[in-house]
Amino acid sequence: MKPILRAERMKPVHSDIRGPLYVEAMKRQKQGIDILKLNTGNPATFGFGLPDSIRNALMEHMQDGVGYCDFKGMPQARQAICDYETSKGIKGITPDDVFIGNGVSEVVSFALTPLLNDGDEVLVPSPSYSLWGNSVYLEDGKPVFYTCDEKAGWYPDIQDIRSKITDKTKAIVIINPNNPTGVLYPKEILLEIIQVAREFGLLIFSDEIYDRLVMDGKQHISLASLTEDVPVITLNGLSKSHCLCGYRCGWMVISGPRELTEDYRQGIIQLTSLRLCANTMAQIVIPAALDDMETPASMVRSGGRIYEQREATVRELEKIDGLSFVKNDGAFYIFPKLDVKKFNITNDKQFAHDLLDATNILLVPGSGFDWKDPDHFRIVMLPQADVLSDAIRRMGTFLDGYKQK
């Protein structure tokens, strides 16, 4: 037999969050070395427990999840999602516009597969969570990365977006709050993106998975609430706001003119029907979770874990010579910048490997988030504040005198 080879479409696909450096770190962990894993946003790893609202919903309704449910999702779950998104100002939606999947990761494939033909382009932010670019590759499409400008607070560069639109462009992705920068976008930026989509006839994908984890008194604005004439796919879930990563509970909501999305919608129905249904045990908890806004709010107000962990991180980062950063507004990520001249850095993967060797701290370099220059890395701010403070001090000690060879 000939060797069984990967398909060509797999060549550009990458997962640095659990890529080769992660594999190396796990080998060391098996050898008894204590690895601080700042590579993935998994709250349960750092002691964030199951909210009582979720536990009670499971106990009361467990029997309801034994059989298959509607391919779009359980009616009561879709109603709760519709009510939630409507409360955020999205107009004209019904539970029929809601599709529930096994995490936003699966929902993204439902959103892209019916849309893209070979070579079609999707505008994706840089930096961004690599799921989006990878998923476009897997559909034989082409992710075209537009710049989020650090000098402008990591906001999308609207002129850069406009310059990259071609006759192959089908959609534009925003992640708000962004992963990996943790930055929240204001209304003015969202309106500009909507105007671009309006002018060029683009579908908008608005990934809002961190919308309930916003700090400093700021408020998240759902992009779809700002337009009724542009089709928008809003994506969200419970993995982050209610610390339910393993439950794999995500959804998408289609809004905007129905006549513009009807055929596309039928493609989504084809896919979700094939899959039969999403995990019912996760769907059971959706109404309770969306009725429980105290759980996420308690984590991001002053005194809450995520807020205090963010504060501890930035306090220590400010002390490191050769590092700069934009303080995040939401989520639990920050994306510091390295002075590449000071540290002679030409390869950010090598930097991350050197850091692991010296400190046993695992993180993801900027290239893992489709950032073009070797000068950034993401910190996951989920460990307790004292653990993070110690970790950042260790990074500072490592960087003191560091020169990449």
Side-chain angles (χ1 to χ4, degrees):
M1 285 180 64
K2 293 181 179 179
I4 310 300
L5 304 179
R6 282 174 286 181
E8 288 294 313
R9 72 172 68 89
M10 295 298 297
K11 284 187 176 179
V13 173
H14 62 93
S15 177
D16 293 60
I17 291 173
R18 292 191 176 183
L21 191 60
Y22 169 81
V23 173
E24 172 63 25
M26 292 307 95
K27 288 179 181 177
R28 299 182 188 199
Q29 185 169 280
K30 286 182 179 179
Q31 295 167 2
I33 299 171
D34 186 19
I35 303 294
L36 181 60
K37 295 185 281 293
L38 304 185
N39 62 310
T40 185
N42 188 8
T45 302
F46 301 101
F48 287 80
L50 186 69
D52 288 341
S53 58
I54 305 303
R55 181 179 289 104
N56 293 337
L58 282 173
M59 294 300 293
E60 292 173 16
H61 301 285
M62 193 174 295
Q63 184 62 32
D64 298 343
V66 173
Y68 290 132
C69 70
D70 187 291
F71 63 87
K72 288 185 177 181
M74 289 179 161
Q76 61 271 38
R78 285 188 287 128
Q79 182 66 61
I81 292 165
C82 183
D83 291 345
Y84 174 72
E85 301 292 359
T86 299
S87 76
K88 297 198 67 179
I90 302 179
K91 298 178 179 64
I93 57 172
T94 73
D96 194 46
D97 300 308
V98 177
F99 293 80
I100 299 174
N102 295 308
V104 170
S105 300
E106 183 184 50
V107 173
V108 166
S109 69
F110 292 155
L112 291 175
T113 300
L115 180 70
L116 300 180
N117 294 307
D118 289 1
D120 281 346
E121 298 173 356
V122 177
L123 291 163
V124 178
S126 174
S128 72
Y129 183 49
S130 60
L131 167 72
W132 280 101
N134 285 330
S135 296
V136 174
Y137 286 129
L138 289 171
E139 303 304 332
D140 289 324
K142 178 184 177 183
V144 176
F145 294 101
Y146 67 84
T147 299
C148 295
D149 185 359
E150 187 170 19
K151 294 179 181 177
W154 283 123
Y155 294 161
D157 183 332
I158 303 301
Q159 288 308 117
D160 191 52
I161 290 172
R162 287 180 172 277
S163 74
K164 290 175 175 173
I165 295 173
T166 72
D167 58 1
K168 285 281 194 178
T169 308
K170 300 293 287 290
I172 180 169
V173 175
I174 73 158
I175 306 172
N176 182 35
N178 180 269
N179 179 5
T181 67
V183 166
L184 179 71
Y185 300 155
K187 181 178 180 180
E188 293 74 22
I189 290 290
L190 301 179
L191 286 171
E192 289 190 74
I193 292 170
I194 289 168
Q195 181 56 29
V196 171
R198 183 181 289 121
E199 288 179 27
F200 292 93
L202 304 179
L203 179 62
I204 299 175
F205 296 116
S206 187
D207 183 341
E208 302 180 1
I209 189 72
Y210 298 99
D211 71 334
R212 296 175 291 279
L213 297 179
V214 174
M215 292 174 274
D216 307 321
K218 297 184 178 181
Q219 295 295 318
H220 179 271
I221 299 171
S222 183
L223 181 143
S225 71
L226 302 176
T227 179
E228 295 183 61
D229 66 313
V230 174
V232 180
I233 310 296
T234 302
L235 303 100
N236 212 320
L238 302 179
S239 290
K240 311 304 182 178
S241 64
H242 290 75
C243 307
L244 299 176
C245 293
Y247 280 43
R248 311 310 300 131
C249 182
W251 62 80
M252 59 187 279
V253 180
I254 307 174
S255 62
R258 178 81 182 229
E259 66 274 12
L260 297 181
T261 58
E262 183 55 40
D263 190 66
Y264 168 64
R265 183 188 299 255
Q266 292 305 314
I268 297 171
I269 287 172
Q270 286 176 278
L271 287 178
T272 50
S273 298
L274 285 172
R275 187 264 338 250
L276 295 179
C277 76
N279 180 352
T280 57
M281 300 308 288
Q283 294 182 63
I284 283 171
V285 308
I286 291 175
L290 293 180
D291 192 47
D292 171 19
M293 290 297 104
E294 174 57 21
T295 288
S298 69
M299 295 189 288
V300 294
R301 67 170 68 105
S302 179
R305 272 198 62 177
I306 290 176
Y307 179 89
E308 296 301 333
Q309 288 158 193
R310 190 272 305 262
E311 293 298 285
T313 301
V314 300
R315 277 196 301 270
E316 295 301 328
L317 286 174
E318 287 172 343
K319 301 174 185 177
I320 300 177
D321 186 35
L323 274 191
S324 60
F325 61 92
V326 175
K327 190 175 182 179
N328 64 308
D329 311 293
F332 31 70
Y333 309 115
I334 198 164
F335 201 54
K337 182 177 183 179
L338 294 155
D339 183 336
V340 292
K341 291 183 179 179
K342 176 179 175 63
F343 302 120
N344 194 40
I345 294 174
T346 58
N347 185 321
D348 62 352
K349 288 184 171 68
Q350 184 62 49
F351 160 76
H353 196 285
D354 292 343
L355 180 72
L356 178 65
D357 279 344
T359 67
N360 295 319
I361 296 171
L362 173 65
L363 47 73
V364 182
S367 56
F369 302 98
D370 296 304
W371 183 248
K372 61 186 182 304
D373 299 316
D375 58 356
H376 282 78
F377 61 93
R378 187 186 74 169
I379 297 173
V380 173
M381 298 180 287
L382 283 174
Q384 293 280 2
D386 60 336
V387 176
L388 279 166
S389 294
D390 176 69
I392 305 305
R393 286 194 290 268
R394 287 156 57 198
M395 287 184 196
T397 300
F398 164 77
L399 284 168
D400 185 18
Y402 174 73
K403 293 283 186 181
Q404 191 169 96
K405 297 178 182 178

